Amino acid sequence: MRRLTGWLFDVYAHGDDVSVWLIDDDGAAHHLRDRLRPSFFVGGSAAELRRVCEWITRARLSARLARAERYDVFAHRQRVVLQVQVQIPAQYAAIVRRVANTFPTLDLYNADLSPAQFYFFERNLFPLAYCQVRVDDTRAILEITTDDSRWALDYQIPPLRVMFIQLEGGELNPNHGHRAPLEITCDSRAYVIATHDRRQVVERVRDYLLRFDPDVIVSRWGDSFILPQLLDAARRYRLPLPLNRDSRCSPVMRPARSYFSYGRIIHKTLAHTLLGRWHIDLENASLLDYGLEGAIEVARLTQQPTQQTVRVSTGTGISAMQVSTAYRQGYLIPFHKSEPEEFKTASALLTGDKGGLTYQPIVGLHFDVAELDFASMYPAIMARFNISPETIHCRCCPDARVPEIGYTICRRARGLVPETLAPLIEKRMAYKRRLKQAAGEPQKEFDRRRAAAHKWLLVTCFGYLGYKNARFGRIEAHEAVTAYGREVLLRAKDIVEARGFRVLHALTDSLWIRKRGTPEAEYARLAEEIARATGLPIELEGIYRWVAFLSSRVNPHAGVPNRYFGARCDGELKLRGIEARRGDTPKFIQKAQLELLAAMTSARTRAELAARLPHCLEMVAARVDALRAGQVPLSDLAFTYRLSRDPQAYATNTLNAIVARELAGRGVKLNAGESIRYLITDYTAAVPSDRARATEFWDGSWGYDVERYTEMLLRAVETILLPLGVHAKMLQGWLAQELPVQPLRARMEDKRAHEYLGPLFEWSNRSVASIRSHIAACPQSSRGGG
Amino acid sequence: MGRTLPTATQLIREFEETWQPYLRALRKEDRDVVRQLFAMIRAQSAPIAYASSPDPFQLFALAMLGGILKKVIRLERTVAAECENYAHRLDACDD
C-alpha cells in the first residue's frame, strides 16, 4: 500500500472498474482504478416493476435489483421504485438503453449520468480536486478523499504540460479546403512537419507525443480534421499513435450534430476526447470570454469532466449542478421529463406571460450617467424567494404569494434550484468584491475569468427553469421569477425618481439614471436603499462620463434597448449592439470603431467630444487610405457567417448563399449551423459568384471591393458619430472631396471638404465656443439629456 | 422556454406593419409624422407590456396622446420662457 497526493485529472469507465488519473505535485501522471456500481431507478406500478425484474433476470444483465424509496420532486412525495445497480460501469448506458426500449412507458430516473459523474457524486469529488489517495500494489484505490472544495475561492491548478497543434495559418478552416503543414508547439518551441507523406506525419506526431507526454493537447480544428486525419492515416499504415495515455482504448468519438438553441441553429462538429489526457479544440470549445481558467472552474463546479465541459453549453453545466444537488439529497432525477404547462385562464396568461421589463432608452448623448445593476437578478430572485419547480403552487403556504400572478411558494422547504444557486451566487459576489479591491494583475485576471464563468452559468439557469423538458424546469416557476423581476425593477424606479433622478433607460435588471452633480457617495446610498426595499443586492455598475443611446436604423425617432455605448469615469468602455461587438463584423471595421471610441473616451462634455472630431476624421481618412492602398490584411476583412440552413436551401443570392454554394461546389460538405468566412470581391458584379470568395479559396488573383468596404466602414463610423449629429451622407460627401494623392493634413485643411460636413466640422476657422453654440442649437432628439 | 403570447414589442411591430400600405401612400412629410407617432408607442413599450391589456390598441392610443401632450408641454414651456425673456427685454428698453 502507498499514499499519493495530487489533482484528480480524468475519470472514465473501463472494464469492470473506473480508471482514475491523478497528476501529482511534480506533474507526473498516475493511472489508478477504483470500484463503482452506478444505479438507476425504474418507476411504475408494482406489476410493471415485477415484469422489469423478471425481464432483467431472464436477459442475464449484469445488475442487482432492489426495492427502493426515493423522493419525486414533481409529485411532492416519496415513491417506491426499482433500483437497478449495474455491476460493470462500462455497461451502464447499454443496460439503461435496453430497459428504456423494452419498457418505453415506464419512468426512468438517474438514467443518463456519466460514469464520471457517478464517481464524483459517490466520492464527493470533482475534476481537479486536490486529493489524498491510498492505493494497493495493483494500483486499486483503497481510499480517496479531498480537503479541497468546489466553493474555494483560491485553488491550485496542476502543472499541466500543454501541446498546441494546428495547421499553419490556424484560423483558416481545413474542412473548407485550407491545406498547410502541421505545426506542433510544446515547451515554447514550434515544430513544423513539412511533408506530404501521411506515414511520416503520423510517425513524427507519435515521436512528439512520446517525447513531451503532454497532459493537454490544445488544437485548432483538431476535433473535425486533424485528429480524424491522423487516426485514419495511423489505421491505414498500421502505426501506433498514442493520442490517449491509456493505451488500452481508442479516443472517444462523438458524431457531428446540428440543433436549435435560442432561435438559432448551432453546429457541433465531430468530437474526439482522449483518455488520461485532455483534448481541447479551440474551434469546438465553448470557452466564451472566460478561457481555460473559466472552463476549469465550470468543470469543478458542475462536476463534469473538463473535456466534456468545454464541448457543451453552460446550460448543460447548470443542469449538471442541479443533478448533483438532487443526487446528494436522494431525489429521483428525471430521465426524459416533459412537464406541460398547466391550464390557465386567458387573463392569467396575459398577466403571467410577460417576461422582464424592457424600457426604450431616451435616444441621444447623455453626460454624468450612473448605471445601477441588480447582481445576477434572476438567480438572486430564485435564491431569495425560494423559486423552484417543486416549491411553486405550494399547498402548505397559502399566504406566500408571488406579486401580480398570485402563485403560492413554499416557505418551509428549501427548493432544489435555490439550494444549487445560492453558493454559486455567493462565490461570484466574492470574486467581484475581490476584483474591486486592488490586487495583482494575474490574480485579477483569474478572478475575472472565474466570475465570467459563473455569470454564464447563472444566465442560463433562468432559461432552464422555464424549459419544460429541462430536468428541473417548470414554466410557472419561470413566470414567478419574471413577476418578481418586474416588481423589483418598478420599486427601484420609484425610489430613484423619488430622489430626483431621471430614468434614461431600464432593462430587466439595470437602470441608467441621471441627476446633475450627484456625488458617488449618493449613488452608494441609493443602492443601499434599493437593496433594503427589494431584498436583492444592487450595485453601482459604473458612472459614465457620457453614454449614447442609439436610435433604430428603421425608425430614427425610436430608441433600441440594446444598442448603446459609453465611457465610464474609470476609462472603461461599455458597448452593446454596435458593430464592434458583433462576431460577424470584419476586424477592420471593429478596430475602426474601437479606435474612434478610444479617442473619445476621455471627453467629459459635448464640446470636448466635438473638439475630438477632427482627430477622429483623420483616423477615418487613414483607414480609407489603407483600404484603397490594399494595406489591410485580408484576415481583417473577412466576414464570418453562421449558415442558417443547408447551402442548397438558399433561394436568393445573398453573399452568404453565394459563398456557401461556392464551397459546396468545391466539394466541401457544409451543415446548417457551421460558420463560413469570406471576402467581398465585387459587390455589384453581374455574375453572383464574382461578388464574394471564401477565405480558404482566396488565391490573390481577386482584389477586395474597396467601395463596398468603405461604405461599410462609414456606416460603422456613423454609428459612433451620429449622436454628435454626423451622419453617413456627411461623411460620404466629405470623402468625395478627398484626393488620394494629396497628403492627409492638406486634405483635412481644404475648405472645400468642409462644405460637405456642415458647420460642425469647420473647426479650422471656428472656435470651440462657436462649436458649442452649434451643438446647443442641435435638435433635442440628438442631444438627449445632455 | 419560449413565450406563449406575443411580447409588447412584437404587438407594436405588428401594429406598425398593418399600417404599411397607408404609410406607403402618404406624402413623405406625412409619413414622417406617422413614424413619430409609432415611435411614441415604442417609447412606452415597457408600460404597455406591464399593463397587459387584452386590447393593446387602447394603450397604443394613450401612448400616442401622451407623446403629443409631452411635445405640447415642451412647446408651452419654451414659449413661456421666450415670452418672459421678451418681457425682460421690453422692460430693459423702457428703462
Side-chain angles (χ1 to χ4, degrees), chain B residues 73-90:
Chain B
I73 291 169
R74 199 178 296 145
L75 276 173
E76 277 178 350
R77 281 182 188 156
T78 312
V79 170
E82 285 297 320
C83 286
E84 202 175 326
N85 197 12
Y86 186 63
H88 281 310
R89 271 195 253 161
L90 280 180

Side-chain angles (χ1 to χ4, degrees), chain A residues 220-278:
Chain A
R220 264 186 192 282
W221 312 107
D223 268 342
S224 57
F225 189 81
I226 297 174
L227 263 60
Q229 290 287 323
L230 286 172
L231 288 167
D232 182 59
R235 257 193 309 272
R236 174 172 292 191
Y237 297 109
R238 297 173 188 278
L239 293 170
L241 181 63
L243 286 168
N244 278 340
R245 262 193 178 133
D246 189 340
S247 56
R248 300 170 301 173
C249 348
S250 307
V252 181
M253 202 174 71
R254 190 177 157 171
R257 66 201 167 102
S258 293
Y259 59 92
F260 264 106
S261 175
Y262 289 91
R264 62 178 195 160
I265 194 154
I266 310 264
H267 178 73
K268 284 279 175 193
T269 64
L270 189 71
H272 283 82
T273 50
L274 305 179
L275 303 173
R277 177 175 283 148
W278 296 348

